[in-house]
Amino acid sequence: DVQMTQSPSTLSASIGDRVTITCRASQNINNWLAWYQQNPGKAPNLLIYKASSLESGVPSRFSGSGSGTEFTLTISSLQPDDFATYYCQKSNDDWTFGQGTKVEVK
Amino acid sequence: EVRLVESGGGLAQPGGSLRLSCVASGFTFSSYTMNWVRQAPGKGLEWLSYITGTTGVINYADSVKGRFTISRDNAKSSVYLQMSSLTAEDAAVYYCARMNVIRGQAFDFWGQGTIVTVS
């Protein structure tokens, strides 16, 4: 089975910071990669699909890149609503999630 | 407006069973593959199972294979998860989610979740 590994597990940042989260797949998954944001007590919300496509309604400060085995989610200028946990997900064959990255206030 | 509403969670005894339901509205239910995902307290997301829209192809994560059964009733716009042989490790919030092939097979809509406690 393909394993998805995110880093870091926790990230401390301030408003306005550029934030980057990495997701690595144990095998080539081409661009079958999605990113989600989850706030406490809420369901996840789709941000990015096919590694780099921005979901409708998601602010343009979010972007995704990568293919194969290494992917990144970037928030260009961190806003108060962005303090949350982010998950990557393999989106073919089985839908394995990464372990999550919590973005917290520095 | 797309809506997914889960129900059926609650307290189950170890070794017991529970059946979760998810009712969908706001889209052509039979056209979409539906999924179940869970999240144990303080833990990350774990994909459990999917069922395709019309052909009913099913797949399970190894952690629930042989214990959980997914099914759907397109006439009722509903997807179900029958859970058996429950253990404490199955305690979690259970979400149903819609997979969208146009969104690279990502999960574009989620329910609010239903809580399962095993004790």
Side-chain angles (χ1 to χ4, degrees):
Chain A
D1 292 352
V2 178
Q3 305 302 315
M4 307 299 293
T5 304
Q6 286 182 235
S7 60
S9 296
T10 305
L11 188 160
S12 299
S14 302
I15 300 299
D17 283 354
R18 182 181 181 87
V19 167
T20 298
I21 298 169
T22 297
C23 177
R24 289 185 173 87
S26 60
Q27 298 175 30
N28 181 4
I29 60 170
N30 296 304
N31 63 347
W32 294 104
L33 195 284
W35 289 98
Y36 300 85
Q37 178 193 65
Q38 188 181 33
N39 288 295
K42 301 294 187 181
N45 182 50
L46 177 64
L47 300 174
I48 301 286
Y49 61 92
K50 291 298 287 291
S52 60
S53 296
L54 190 68
E55 172 67 339
S56 176
V58 174
S60 59
R61 63 181 179 273
F62 291 93
S63 64
S65 64
S67 66
T69 62
E70 187 152 339
F71 304 87
T72 59
L73 173 70
T74 299
I75 309 172
S76 60
S77 178
L78 197 67
Q79 298 302 302
D81 286 348
D82 302 339
F83 292 102
T85 300
Y86 295 84
Y87 294 91
C88 64
Q89 180 200 37
K90 172 179 174 290
S91 57
N92 72 324
D93 293 335
D94 68 78
W95 279 257
T96 305
F97 291 90
Q99 79 277 19
T101 295
K102 183 178 181 180
V103 177
E104 63 178 22
V105 177
K106 188 173 183 179
Chain B
E1 178 193 5
V2 172
R3 286 196 72 200
L4 299 171
V5 179
E6 301 95 338
S7 62
L11 177 63
Q13 293 185 338
S17 300
L18 214 52
R19 188 193 194 213
L20 308 183
S21 300
C22 170
V23 179
S25 60
F27 64 99
T28 304
F29 181 73
S30 60
S31 296
Y32 290 85
T33 293
M34 297 300 296
N35 294 262
W36 286 97
V37 176
R38 70 182 177 187
Q39 186 168 37
K43 303 297 185 182
L45 300 168
E46 180 185 15
W47 171 79
L48 299 178
S49 182
Y50 74 69
I51 183 168
T52 61
T54 50
T55 56
V57 174
I58 288 170
N59 195 13
Y60 297 100
D62 288 344
S63 59
V64 302
K65 199 173 293 183
R67 298 191 302 123
F68 289 11
T69 302
I70 192 171
S71 61
R72 66 189 294 158
D73 184 337
N74 288 338
K76 295 182 178 179
S77 295
S78 296
V79 60
Y80 308 99
L81 188 67
Q82 178 69 47
M83 306 186 296
S84 62
S85 302
L86 289 166
T87 72
E89 286 66 44
D90 296 314
V93 178
Y94 284 73
Y95 297 100
C96 66
R98 186 181 87 166
M99 189 192 81
N100 193 330
V101 295
I102 296 175
R103 298 290 191 270
Q105 302 183 141
F107 299 169
D108 63 345
F109 283 96
W110 297 64
Q112 84 290 350
T114 188
I115 298 173
V116 172
T117 303
V118 182
S119 178

